[in-house]
Amino acid sequence: MQHTVRVWDLPTRLFHWSLAATTIALVATAKLGGNAMEWHLRLGYVMLALLVFRLVWGLMGGRWSRFASFLYSPTRLWRYLRGGGEDDVGHSPLGALSVFALLAVLLLQVGSGLVSDDEIAFAGPLTRFVPGSVVGQATWYHKDVGQYLLYALVGLHLLAILFYVLVRKRTLVRPMLGGDKQLPRPASPSRDDMASRAGAAVVLALSGALAWWVSGLGAF
């Protein structure tokens, strides 16, 4: 008997797809260069707001969106890699590692962008607050290291989706669209009511306000 369980709440799903779209747009504008860099900068602030939202939502969101639900020990990860069972409600131990790695790399990419300066047409709003040596290192990381780490993690993410579809005959995309999973056993659902969604809207608004404030620091 299969049990339908709400695993991914609406705010988490909207975050997921917004993050994917913003990442693609950031890569595209960076490659185009020129006038597109103005949009690259704006999208960087959008990414900052999204990441701040996810960090907060990871503490107060639906059950399976909270970091505590997929914060596995190294022993648990090793047991999973050796085939010692599978966590099929929220993120698996390997999936959790991927989530944390992607968030960390995105935070570093946004953070380095805020203090980068290409000495031509682009300068992050926080460059005036740090020494020139830090600006140089951040610019190097942002252009020559961070973006390639991001490409690698996104590639691994797509390969994992294909692996689950082709080998394990399970889709990871459908639950992230509709929110529900079909599970072989009952499980506690994530809260996903109007009050929770309203709380997420407040968190997103505050995250956007923080990103807007950061964007204005370079103008003083």
Side-chain angles (χ1 to χ4, degrees), residues 94-95 98 102 150-173:
L94 194 59
S98 174
L102 187 57
L150 182 58
Y151 297 158
L153 287 174
V154 170
L156 288 174
H157 184 69
L158 295 175
L159 287 175
I161 292 174
L162 287 175
F163 173 79
Y164 268 83
V165 170
L166 299 177
V167 178
R168 297 197 170 180
K169 308 302 180 183
R170 293 173 53 196
T171 176
L172 300 179
V173 176

Side-chain angles (χ1 to χ4, degrees), residues 155-214:
L156 288 174
H157 184 69
L158 295 175
L159 287 175
I161 292 174
L162 287 175
F163 173 79
Y164 268 83
V165 170
L166 299 177
V167 178
R168 297 197 170 180
K169 308 302 180 183
R170 293 173 53 196
T171 176
L172 300 179
V173 176
R174 188 178 297 115
M176 193 54 74
L177 288 171
D180 296 335
K181 276 190 176 184
Q182 298 296 318
L183 302 175
R185 64 183 187 278
S188 299
S190 285
R191 183 183 178 186
D192 193 23
D193 54 21
M194 290 305 297
S196 175
R197 295 176 182 182
V202 172
V203 172
L204 181 60
L206 292 174
S207 300
L210 175 63
W212 177 80
W213 176 74
V214 170

Side-chain angles (χ1 to χ4, degrees), residues 88-189:
D88 55 1
V89 181
H91 292 297
S92 69
L94 194 59
L97 189 63
S98 174
V99 169
F100 287 126
L102 187 57
L103 288 176
V105 168
L106 285 171
L107 284 168
L108 282 172
Q109 193 68 358
V110 171
S112 61
L114 292 174
V115 292
S116 291
D117 187 351
D118 66 1
E119 299 182 346
I120 300 175
F122 175 85
L126 304 185
T127 53
R128 68 189 188 94
F129 297 105
V130 297
S133 59
V134 174
V135 172
Q137 291 173 348
T139 305
W140 167 76
Y141 174 86
H142 191 81
K143 294 176 61 178
D144 298 329
V145 179
Q147 64 169 318
Y148 298 108
L149 286 176
L150 182 58
Y151 297 158
L153 287 174
V154 170
L156 288 174
H157 184 69
L158 295 175
L159 287 175
I161 292 174
L162 287 175
F163 173 79
Y164 268 83
V165 170
L166 299 177
V167 178
R168 297 197 170 180
K169 308 302 180 183
R170 293 173 53 196
T171 176
L172 300 179
V173 176
R174 188 178 297 115
M176 193 54 74
L177 288 171
D180 296 335
K181 276 190 176 184
Q182 298 296 318
L183 302 175
R185 64 183 187 278
S188 299

Side-chain angles (χ1 to χ4, degrees), residues 12-70:
T12 298
R13 285 177 277 144
L14 291 177
F15 162 81
H16 178 90
W17 297 113
S18 297
L19 187 77
T22 303
T23 300
I24 293 171
L26 279 166
V27 171
T29 51
K31 296 304 180 184
L32 288 172
N35 292 334
M37 289 304 295
E38 287 295 326
W39 281 104
H40 187 77
L41 182 61
R42 293 167 187 155
L43 288 165
Y45 297 132
V46 172
M47 178 64 77
L48 174 61
L50 287 172
L51 291 173
V52 171
F53 167 82
R54 186 63 182 95
L55 292 177
V56 176
W57 201 241
L59 302 176
M60 59 178 290
R63 176 184 177 88
W64 303 107
S65 298
R66 296 183 184 180
F67 298 135
S69 73
F70 55 94

